[in-house]
Amino acid sequence: MIQIKNYINGELKLAKDGTHIDNYDPSRGVVYSQIPDSKKEDVEEAVAAAESAFPIWSNMPKEKRSEIMINVANKIQERLDEFAAAESLDNGKPVSLATHVDIPRAVSNLKFFATAILHYASESHYMEGMGVNYTLRRPIGIVGCISPWNLPLYLFTWKVAPALAAGNCVIAKPSEVTPMTAYMLSEICIEAGMPKGVFNILHGLGQHVGDAITRHPKIKAISFTGGTNTGETIAKIAAPMFKKLSLELGGKNPNIIFADCDFDKALKTTMLSSFANQGQICLCGSRIYIERPIYEKFKEAFVAKTAKAVVSYPTDEKAKLGAVVSKPHMEKVLGCIALAKEEGGTILTGGERVILEGEYAEGYYIRPTIIEGLGPNCRTNQEEIFGPVVTIAPFDTEEEALELANSTQYGLASTVHTNDLSRAHRVAENLHAGIVWVNSWLVRDLRTPFGGVKNSGVGREGGFEALHFFTEPKNVFIKS
Ligand code: NDP
């Protein structure tokens, strides 16, 4: 049994009270490792370490911080296959996805922010005849980073990298459901020369260690990615303490497919945006609106392709979909499918658990599912499912498409398929979303602002937005 450890003050440690939680391999439904069930006292230890390390790290030349972070990134790159195998085992995703997306992106996150900090300039505002203002941007101090299970190392490094690059000391908590690659990262940080106490990784439950991080008075900012309800819980604690908050929350993203689109490309992209990572990406499109002239043709092709998508164990090279992340999550998604039926939806394909053979028989597999016949206001079309389940519906006008797309409490991402350039601009401008992809999906330039509107979050990550978040600006005016 692998024993995952916390990374505090440069050392690997169990929880102070010796408790642990089982960690499951979702592809087989068995426990394969244990993680510390960290509590308040572990957070205290990490905060004390971070407090001692802060003067060293924040005053270190940024070139040196950058060098250490690049060293970490290179060491992940050297062990890419090992990291990808671990991510896939921990999360259930196909190894090919972890190899081509998750781990390379974690490396890019670290390299991107390690170099972005070298180009991060502060502003100055000259006042004629009066003097000049300049903005100092200093690190905040100790910051908390809390991340989810769907893209474990990818989203973990997406937060931690800008926080560290900006000169903060970090107390980070990966999801308890997928702790393995964050643990491997802590081993790499030790090898790469990360100074003690600068970066601390604590494992455990949201309501224990996550809560303790959120409440700690010396942790001055919280960067959180996860569900909207958890975000609300965190905001209720952190906002009255006047902590800086970045919340990247849930989505219920629309895909709008106009009749003038490139049909084959729209179909291929929709397959990906619906079912990549078993539909467990906050950016997946789960409500697909198709203009009526191509509705039947698109539906037929989409259903046929989906029915053929291979659901299998993560190391199977043929697998398009692997296991969903956990048994409770599988049950939640199957419950959403049952609700869709109760609400009058017709399952066009999928709608059930897949039982594989042999050692994978207890794994958590769900057939990709397309549902038709539901109105925009039902729970299925309003609530996040976060699994391989989408609904489809026709529309007749651009106005109707926009009304349908904007009809939820969420506003994270949207996808528009059209060859009409004016329409693409118009629709993009009128969608209530932080991100719009036209004739594409999940194309990411790390310099661009990332985040949602409405109940999908507060603030933006990415590029200089992230460095702004992790620094405190101070205006200095000098009279001429
Ligand atoms: P959760 O909100 O359940 O958990 C996210 C993290 O918060 C986990 O580390 C979790 O720990 C921790 N946590 C839970 N409760 C608390 C608490 N009271 N205080 C502090 N921390 C807590 O989300 P999931 O992990 O289930 O991830 C799925 C969700 O994340 C979806 O809603 C998805 O849309 C969203 N998401 C949003 C993204 C975005 O960029 N907007 C990107 C990716 C996902 P534990 O694991 O122990 O519960």
Side-chain angles (χ1 to χ4, degrees):
M1 184 73 65
I2 304 167
Q3 183 65 63
I4 287 174
K5 292 186 177 140
N6 288 334
Y7 171 51
I8 300 177
N9 203 19
E11 290 171 21
L12 300 176
K13 302 179 169 196
L14 299 174
K16 272 186 183 298
D17 67 3
T19 52
H20 63 257
I21 309 161
D22 289 335
N23 182 33
Y24 283 79
D25 160 5
S27 73
R28 297 179 179 83
V30 297
V31 175
Y32 82 104
S33 68
Q34 291 182 325
I35 70 167
D37 181 6
S38 310
K39 311 268 167 32
K40 202 175 159 202
E41 55 270 27
D42 302 292
V43 175
E44 285 297 348
E45 189 183 356
V47 168
E51 217 174 0
S52 310
F54 182 66
I56 303 161
W57 186 245
S58 57
N59 290 315
M60 186 181 276
K62 54 186 180 307
E63 291 76 10
K64 180 68 187 157
R65 288 203 300 266
S66 170
E67 200 181 299
I68 294 170
M69 289 178 64
I70 287 182
N71 206 3
V72 171
N74 287 340
K75 284 183 184 293
I76 299 176
Q77 180 71 45
E78 281 163 21
R79 288 168 59 185
L80 190 142
D81 289 343
E82 202 186 320
F83 266 86
E87 198 72 295
S88 154
L89 182 67
D90 216 23
N91 173 278
K93 66 181 70 203
V95 174
S96 55
L97 189 66
T99 306
H100 293 108
V101 178
D102 291 72
I103 307 306
R105 176 58 195 277
V107 172
S108 302
N109 288 340
L110 286 157
K111 288 191 174 169
F112 176 83
F113 285 108
T115 47
I117 196 66
L118 305 178
H119 305 272
Y120 187 45
S122 63
E123 309 89 9
S124 80
H125 300 87
Y126 179 63
M127 297 171 80
E128 271 175 37
M130 305 258 310
V132 66
N133 296 275
Y134 63 88
T135 311
L136 279 178
R137 284 195 179 270
R138 295 293 297 152
I140 298 170
I142 308 174
V143 300
C145 297
I146 303 177
S147 61
W149 47 256
N150 61 325
L151 301 166
L153 195 65
Y154 174 135
L155 289 176
F156 189 71
T157 49
W158 180 235
K159 293 185 174 310
V160 161
L164 290 171
N168 299 284
C169 289
V170 175
I171 316 284
K173 185 195 113 49
S175 170
E176 148 238 337
V177 187
T178 52
M180 187 55 83
T181 47
Y183 173 54
M184 293 166 69
L185 175 65
S186 51
E187 293 175 324
I188 277 189
C189 286
I190 295 171
E191 287 169 31
M194 182 68 71
K196 286 181 178 191
V198 166
F199 182 23
N200 302 275
I201 303 176
L202 274 69
H203 296 274
L205 297 170
Q207 63 267 38
H208 291 165
V209 65
D211 182 73
I213 291 172
T214 308
R215 285 180 195 281
H216 201 290
K218 290 187 176 165
I219 298 180
K220 297 291 181 200
I222 302 287
S223 172
F224 168 80
T225 300
T228 295
N229 290 342
T230 316
E232 188 182 339
T233 305
I234 288 175
K236 278 184 182 154
I237 298 165
M241 298 174 83
F242 306 112
K243 294 190 183 208
K244 262 185 134 175
L245 268 178
S246 164
L247 302 172
E248 298 298 334
L249 309 176
K252 188 75 187 173
N253 308 312
N255 288 13
I256 306 177
I257 301 170
F258 286 98
D260 66 5
C261 70
D262 182 319
F263 188 92
D264 292 340
K265 284 187 188 157
L267 181 62
K268 197 171 168 202
T269 307
T270 304
M271 282 300 292
L272 272 180
S273 68
S274 302
F275 304 124
N277 206 39
Q278 299 68 250
Q280 304 167 129
I281 301 180
C282 53
L283 306 163
C284 278
S286 54
R287 297 177 292 137
I288 302 171
Y289 300 116
I290 305 153
E291 201 172 3
R292 200 170 304 270
I294 60 162
Y295 182 74
E296 288 301 328
K297 183 180 169 199
F298 193 92
K299 173 173 117 178
E300 200 180 305
F302 185 37
V303 168
K305 243 179 157 25
T306 302
K308 278 197 222 138
V310 176
V311 180
S312 189
Y313 53 93
T315 49
D316 183 347
E317 283 173 9
K318 294 193 293 304
K320 283 274 182 268
L321 288 88
V324 298
V325 78
S326 68
K327 192 168 184 203
H329 191 60
M330 175 180 72
E331 285 164 357
K332 181 206 145 178
V333 174
L334 292 173
C336 291
I337 296 171
L339 173 70
K341 286 189 207 161
E342 275 170 37
E343 290 185 315
T346 304
I347 310 290
L348 299 177
T349 183
E352 66 207 354
R353 181 175 179 181
V354 178
I355 308 282
L356 299 183
E357 290 183 350
E359 63 181 304
Y360 299 102
E362 297 298 319
Y364 316 133
Y365 301 91
I366 298 176
R367 206 169 289 295
T369 301
I370 304 174
I371 304 168
E372 187 189 37
L374 290 172
N377 298 322
C378 66
R379 284 180 58 195
T380 305
N381 273 328
Q382 289 291 322
E383 296 173 11
E384 186 180 40
I385 297 173
F386 216 54
V389 180
V390 299
T391 60
I392 59 169
F395 68 87
D396 291 299
T397 63
E398 191 179 304
E399 292 70 30
E400 187 191 358
L402 275 168
E403 198 176 318
L404 288 166
N406 291 336
S407 69
T408 74
Q409 59 166 324
Y410 296 108
L412 186 54
S414 300
T415 303
V416 183
H417 294 276
T418 179
N419 275 324
D420 178 336
L421 187 58
S422 306
R423 169 183 276 157
H425 283 296
R426 226 172 21 240
V427 173
E429 192 172 337
N430 288 300
L431 278 165
H432 302 165
I435 302 157
V436 178
W437 279 291
V438 177
N439 299 329
S440 58
W441 177 70
L442 202 49
V443 178
R444 292 282 297 119
D445 177 329
L446 304 190
R447 293 169 300 182
T448 59
F450 179 88
V453 299
K454 302 199 278 188
N455 291 8
S456 289
V458 178
R460 292 292 181 275
E461 296 185 322
F464 292 145
E465 299 272 350
L467 294 176
H468 282 343
F469 176 77
F470 284 114
T471 50
E472 200 65 80
K474 180 193 286 179
N475 190 66
V476 180
F477 173 71
I478 312 256
K479 201 167 173 349
S480 55

